[in-house]
Amino acid sequence: MINLQNKVVVLTGAGGGIGRAAAEKLAQNGMKIVLFGGNNRENLKATASIVEKYSSCLVLPGDLTDLEFIRKGVEEVIRTFGQIDILINNAGMAANTSFEEVRVEDFDKIMAINVRVPFYLTQQAIPFLKKSGSATIINIASVVAHAGYPLQSAYTASKHALLGLTKSIAREYYQDGIRVHAICPGGVYTDMVKVSRPDLTPEGMIMPEEIADIIWFFLSNRGNAVIDEIIVHRVNKEPFLV
Ligand SMILES: NC(=O)c1ccc[n+]([C@@H]2O[C@H](COP(=O)([O-])OP(=O)(O)OC[C@H]3O[C@@H](n4cnc5c(N)ncnc54)[C@H](OP(=O)(O)O)[C@@H]3O)[C@@H](O)[C@H]2O)c1
């Protein structure tokens, strides 16, 4: 296990769900957390007060699809903490719409937050990650990065794209010491799943804290074994059905 005390984590989508659970877990382990982006300021404030029980944080509310906000935000992170060690691209959005009814503007919105944002934020963070001895990027994809679900065409396309981006960057930067991973969860009990899978009941769903534990596993186990991605299925009457 490596020592991650005082390492700086840039985490998107930390206003609730997986992001909030990850922020808490990493703060408990002494890491400084940047809560990067989010339109709901109250949610971000609530996460910040959890983080501040254990560690320090920087809160940067705003719309991540605004690339200027990302660029200035990274500058602010460096001014405040002087480094970036970990990037977790977690912010995302889903929809549950028949293919014929997906509006082009909604497709663009989903692709923007789920793919374009991780692409651009990663580009901005890479120069700083190169200087870290523990640089890791974790992209929160989904089981739909592997499977095709009805009523989720735009979301499925975006998560396939995010997984492709992850694989390419992983190969491009491993010699710089940057580890790049994807986590591909099935249904996690968060606000989003209520939109993307209204057919699921909470029973048997993955808890956000379980994804936070996997994030911690990736960060803290930095040996010779490199895991590209972890696919996380929920407990189901038919195991491995995502
Ligand atoms: N829940 C699941 O079943 C599941 C399964 C597989 C993968 N995932 C993935 O896990 C990640 C986290 O989702 P979650 O389930 O934890 O849901 P969530 O609680 O709804 O989190 C999504 C976060 O993304 C942020 N976000 C969305 N658009 C944004 C924008 N334009 N700018 C800044 N922030 C934005 C939201 O912040 P605001 O609301 O404040 O804007 C929110 O905090 C997503 O990438 C999702 O695709 C979820």
Side-chain angles (χ1 to χ4, degrees), residues 18 38-40 63-64 90 92 140-141 155 159 185-186 188 190 192-193:
I18 295 170
N39 301 296
N40 186 323
D63 183 357
L64 286 163
N90 167 70
I140 307 299
Y155 184 62
K159 293 298 186 178
V188 185
T190 70
M192 178 183 286
V193 85

Side-chain angles (χ1 to χ4, degrees), residues 12-23:
T12 66
I18 295 170
R20 179 176 290 168

Side-chain angles (χ1 to χ4, degrees), residues 199-214:
D199 54 309
L200 295 183
T201 56
E203 186 193 277
M205 241 188 256
I206 301 160
M207 298 310 289
E209 292 73 19
E210 296 180 272
I211 304 300
D213 286 346
I214 294 167

Side-chain angles (χ1 to χ4, degrees), residues 30 59 93-94 119 149 179 187 231:
V59 185
M93 116 181 232
F119 160 79
Y149 276 12
R179 303 247 170 132
I231 303 176

